[in-house]
Amino acid sequence: MSVFKADDIFSDGMILQRGVENFITGDGEGEMTLTLERDDKICGRSRIAADGRWRIAVPEGKADCLPYTIKIRCGNVMQVISDVLFGDVFHITGQSNMELPLNRTYDPFKGDVPVPEEELIREYRVPIALSFEAGKEAGTFTGGSWIRACDDTELNMSAAGYHFAKKLFAEIGVPIGLVNTSAGGSAIEGRIPAEVCREFRELDPVTDTVTADGYMEKTLAEGEKIEKEWSAYVESRDKIGKDIVSGKYHADSKKCTVPFMVNDLPDMNGFCGRIWFWKEFEIPASADLSDAMLILGTLVDADISYINGAKVGETTYLYPPRYYDIPAKILKHGTNRVAVRLDINNGFGGFTEGKRFCVKLGDTVIDLEGEWDFIPAVKAPLRGTVEFLPSKELAVYAYMTAPAYRLPFKGMLIYQGETNCGNADIYDGLFRRFVEYYRERCGYKIPVVSVQLPNWTPGGEGWVKIRQKQLECCNIPDTTMAVTLGMGENNDLHPIDKESVGAALCDCVMRLIYGKGDPLPVSPTMIRRTSDGIMVGFREEVTLTDKDTKYFEVHTPEGWQSVNVKENRGGLLLDFTADSADKIRYAWLPDADRPAAEGVSGRLVPTFEVAI
């Protein structure tokens, strides 16, 4: 007999979708029997003859928060799957903001992120696996395991997913399962097969490239070569690094004011290479040195940071926060020094403005902002392009999307769109096709909740256009969108307030899936000109949370202009009486971080643009 084994997702701690037919699949041959048991009593039984790949039905269990045991027998072999629950299971997917684990929501000024307490919230995180083979579809997820929230001591669960599940469990009181297929940087076209990508002729050049024989292997090798050669070029030419680390400073150093971007310095625009920064700071004799951390906000691009000549932290790319624990006996009372080696590979780098730069000693904070010394160590050519494969077409389809078609879900949550900002004009078509194709393949109209992108300054016009496309896609049946204006951080692609995002997702799910109110966003439903201005009505009564907001604009032949707005008869009245306006919009800024209008339900009005 061949190896007898259930697929990885059917394992200890799993949650099965209540109220529907569930099947367990795996490999093996022979006559098989499955029993669903609780307290040593058989609650249900099924049988099947297996020939290589098998699929066996699971008798329906109760979603009463008590565990079952599943036993699958084949000949002399038995596989036991313990601690099985029935509840509501959600496919959560998207990019890094859905992938972002709880441990990345840590704020050193608010304390440690607590380990969740919930036993009945569980996540199966699908390992990232890429494929660019046209026609390739894996039959099941490979790798991964179910983890109970209360056992997640490393805080690896999706933060947005966890907070959504926590809120939802409080509402409905049944176990909540999350199957997490998110992957940082993945585009929406990465989750559809090649034949669907071919429906969008604009994508043909990339589709041709990624489906060519050996594309992934070749691209990975080229990227590794580019990175190694650039790093070797810089490293071999750095003649001052050891001196800086040891405290031997150079007389020709210059001054800068942290935080800042290197491009703002004279003659440094577009700089690539390595710069050393350093600063001396004083620790008072009364300070406790036992709980110390170096906090350097975020840096662009890569750094190695030192305290008193000892390395305390290293980050190889721009996004993660620099929270570096300082080991004992490195700091001292009196004068200390911090040195930062910053490598800039794409012509734009520095210390991110708006972040904290300090040494934290328990409750004592020693500010590191202000004057620093610096000296360019190596000026290098712009590093060549290193392709980020998860962002490409097809990348996360075969192994991370297609297997989901075979699983029953209560709904899907998708936090995605960041990668598509450079091609925002076709996003609505791609997203619609993604939803349509997914439903075709899974065989039921899975409810879908997306997340309208939050505020982030570098997002630019494409970021705002994606928001508009996401809103327009809410006319797809059985879909809606969580509005997250103000839940982002203007200087960080990965905002840490995932609790608010989770609450917004839960509200959408309660409305869309459980029938607890109007599921559609609080967007305009009526616009008309009056003698007093432009009257805008919404899906529910709306109030202003910022009566002085400049987020409302009208469009005329001369362009867009901001207008005053006031509440009027449950809607909003824009102070513009001329007939020349043909469109209005709201919060049309990537960094719109102060939501100005909300419905009586407490839901935020989304970014929108609409014709009069």
Side-chain angles (χ1 to χ4, degrees):
M1 187 180 75
S2 63
V3 174
F4 171 71
K5 179 182 178 297
D7 293 333
D8 293 338
I9 195 168
F10 304 112
S11 52
D12 292 349
M14 70 178 175
I15 299 180
L16 297 174
Q17 178 57 46
R18 61 172 174 161
V20 300
E21 193 171 34
N22 287 276
F23 291 89
I24 292 178
T25 56
D27 295 313
E29 298 176 355
E31 295 294 325
M32 297 176 50
T33 302
L34 180 148
T35 57
L36 182 70
E37 303 180 9
R38 178 185 282 178
D39 297 327
D40 295 324
K41 296 180 181 178
I42 295 177
C43 305
R45 186 191 307 270
S46 60
R47 291 185 175 88
I48 194 173
D51 182 15
R53 284 290 295 172
W54 50 265
R55 178 175 180 263
I56 190 167
V58 180
E60 185 172 344
K62 299 177 181 179
D64 57 5
C65 304
L66 297 176
Y68 290 88
T69 297
I70 290 176
K71 295 180 180 178
I72 308 173
R73 295 175 174 85
C74 185
N76 296 324
V77 181
M78 181 173 70
Q79 181 169 353
V80 178
I81 305 174
S82 62
D83 192 22
V84 177
L85 299 172
F86 288 82
D88 284 347
V89 184
F90 292 84
H91 181 186
I92 64 172
T93 192
Q95 297 190 214
S96 52
N97 274 304
M98 184 62 87
E99 184 184 21
L100 197 80
L102 283 164
N103 58 48
R104 276 286 301 275
T105 65
Y106 169 68
D107 181 340
F109 296 97
K110 295 181 179 179
D112 292 337
V113 178
V115 174
E117 299 177 349
E118 295 82 7
E119 179 184 353
L120 303 179
I121 295 173
R122 303 177 182 185
E123 180 189 69
Y124 181 89
R125 181 171 291 230
V126 176
I128 292 177
L130 309 181
S131 173
F132 297 95
E133 181 182 344
K136 175 74 174 179
E137 286 191 3
T140 184
F141 294 125
T142 301
S145 60
W146 286 92
I147 184 167
R148 304 186 305 176
C150 60
D151 295 331
D152 187 23
T153 56
E154 299 298 318
L155 300 171
N156 287 322
M157 289 185 72
S158 161
Y162 165 72
H163 286 296
F164 155 76
K166 180 180 180 180
K167 186 79 171 176
L168 184 62
F169 180 79
E171 293 281 351
I172 66 174
V174 303
I176 306 297
L178 306 172
V179 176
N180 185 353
T181 67
S182 55
S186 55
I188 194 66
E189 59 268 33
R191 298 188 179 275
I192 53 179
E195 63 269 24
V196 179
C197 287
R198 293 291 188 192
E199 297 172 13
F200 299 85
R201 308 314 299 178
E202 307 94 323
L203 302 181
D204 276 352
V206 179
T207 307
D208 292 340
T209 298
V210 301
T211 56
D213 289 344
Y215 165 75
M216 183 161 64
E217 295 75 12
K218 179 182 177 182
T219 304
L220 286 171
E222 288 177 348
E224 183 177 357
K225 181 174 182 288
I226 288 170
E227 289 182 324
K228 282 186 175 180
E229 288 181 351
W230 192 88
S231 296
Y233 179 95
V234 173
E235 193 66 35
S236 65
R237 288 163 174 77
D238 182 2
K239 307 302 182 184
I240 63 173
K242 291 182 179 179
D243 287 347
I244 303 300
V245 169
S246 66
K248 298 176 183 178
Y249 305 138
H250 285 231
D252 56 350
S253 65
K254 303 175 183 179
K255 302 292 184 181
C256 63
T257 302
V258 168
F260 79 111
M261 300 311 289
V262 171
N263 300 58
D264 296 331
L265 294 173
D267 303 320
M268 295 288 284
N269 188 36
F271 178 87
C272 288
R274 175 172 295 173
I275 305 176
W276 281 94
F277 298 87
W278 65 92
K279 180 183 180 69
E280 292 188 344
F281 60 95
E282 298 294 320
I283 296 180
S286 60
D288 182 358
L289 306 182
S290 62
D291 181 20
M293 175 180 286
L294 174 63
I295 298 172
L296 294 174
T298 57
L299 303 173
V300 186
D301 292 291
D303 76 287
I304 299 180
S305 296
Y306 302 82
I307 295 286
N308 294 335
K311 176 181 172 181
V312 296
E314 176 179 8
T315 305
T316 59
Y317 65 110
L318 71 165
Y319 292 122
R322 272 58 168 184
Y323 301 149
Y324 297 146
D325 290 323
I326 304 174
K329 300 183 180 180
I330 290 179
L331 289 172
K332 58 186 179 180
H333 296 107
T335 302
N336 295 261
R337 67 182 186 276
V338 55
V340 175
R341 192 195 84 178
L342 188 66
D343 286 354
I344 303 170
N345 58 50
N346 280 308
F348 184 82
F351 294 63
T352 305
E353 296 188 33
K355 295 291 187 179
R356 294 292 299 270
F357 297 88
C358 60
V359 170
K360 188 173 183 296
L361 306 168
D363 294 331
T364 300
V365 177
I366 299 172
D367 194 2
L368 295 180
E369 294 187 11
E371 187 175 85
W372 285 54
D373 289 276
F374 80 96
I375 186 168
V378 181
K379 186 174 183 180
L382 190 73
R383 193 189 70 183
T385 300
V386 177
E387 298 289 353
F388 185 64
L389 290 178
S391 71
K392 301 300 182 182
E393 295 167 22
L394 276 70
V396 291
Y397 176 73
Y399 294 112
M400 301 189 69
T401 303
Y405 302 151
R406 297 161 176 83
L407 301 172
F409 294 106
K410 193 70 172 179
M412 177 196 293
L413 312 180
I414 179 167
Y415 191 155
Q416 197 279 328
E418 301 95 326
T419 292
N420 290 89
C421 287
N423 203 8
D425 290 338
I426 65 170
Y427 185 78
D428 55 336
L430 286 167
F431 187 84
R432 289 174 190 278
R433 195 66 182 98
F434 163 72
V435 173
E436 180 183 49
Y437 187 78
Y438 190 106
R439 288 173 171 175
E440 290 173 4
R441 294 297 306 277
C442 73
Y444 61 100
K445 192 179 289 185
I446 185 171
V448 177
V449 180
S450 63
V451 178
Q452 193 178 46
L453 296 183
N455 46 291
W456 185 54
T457 301
E461 182 73 4
W463 192 266
V464 191
K465 284 183 176 180
I466 290 289
R467 287 192 198 137
Q468 176 68 15
K469 298 297 186 182
Q470 291 172 320
L471 177 61
E472 292 171 1
C473 285
C474 289
N475 64 11
I476 303 172
D478 295 301
T479 69
T480 190
M481 179 187 74
V483 181
T484 59
L485 291 178
M487 300 178 196
E489 298 174 32
N490 288 342
N491 59 2
D492 203 319
L493 180 61
H494 303 118
I496 65 174
D497 181 15
K498 294 300 188 279
E499 184 173 359
S500 296
V501 174
L505 284 167
C506 179
D507 182 72
C508 288
V509 164
M510 288 301 298
R511 292 168 178 273
L512 179 67
I513 297 177
Y514 300 97
K516 302 298 183 180
D518 182 2
L520 293 178
V522 187
S523 54
T525 56
M526 180 275 295
I527 301 175
R528 59 183 174 86
R529 293 183 175 89
T530 73
S531 58
D532 297 322
I534 301 172
M535 183 67 192
V536 185
F538 295 81
R539 292 193 66 87
E540 62 185 58
E541 184 177 337
V542 164
T543 59
L544 289 170
T545 55
D546 180 1
K547 292 181 168 54
D548 297 320
T549 183
K550 301 301 180 185
Y551 283 175
F552 287 91
E553 300 173 276
V554 299
H555 183 265
T556 71
E558 286 73 41
W560 289 97
Q561 65 182 81
S562 177
V563 295
N564 294 325
V565 61
K566 62 181 180 181
E567 299 169 6
N568 185 279
R569 299 179 181 179
L572 299 177
L573 184 66
L574 277 58
D575 186 15
F576 192 87
T577 56
D579 293 334
S580 56
D582 60 352
K583 291 184 288 188
I584 65 170
R585 68 186 187 185
Y586 164 70
W588 202 266
L589 297 164
D591 54 358
D593 58 353
R594 297 183 60 187
E598 65 179 29
V600 291
S601 64
R603 294 185 296 159
L604 299 176
V605 172
T607 293
F608 68 81
E609 180 182 302
V610 64
I612 298 175

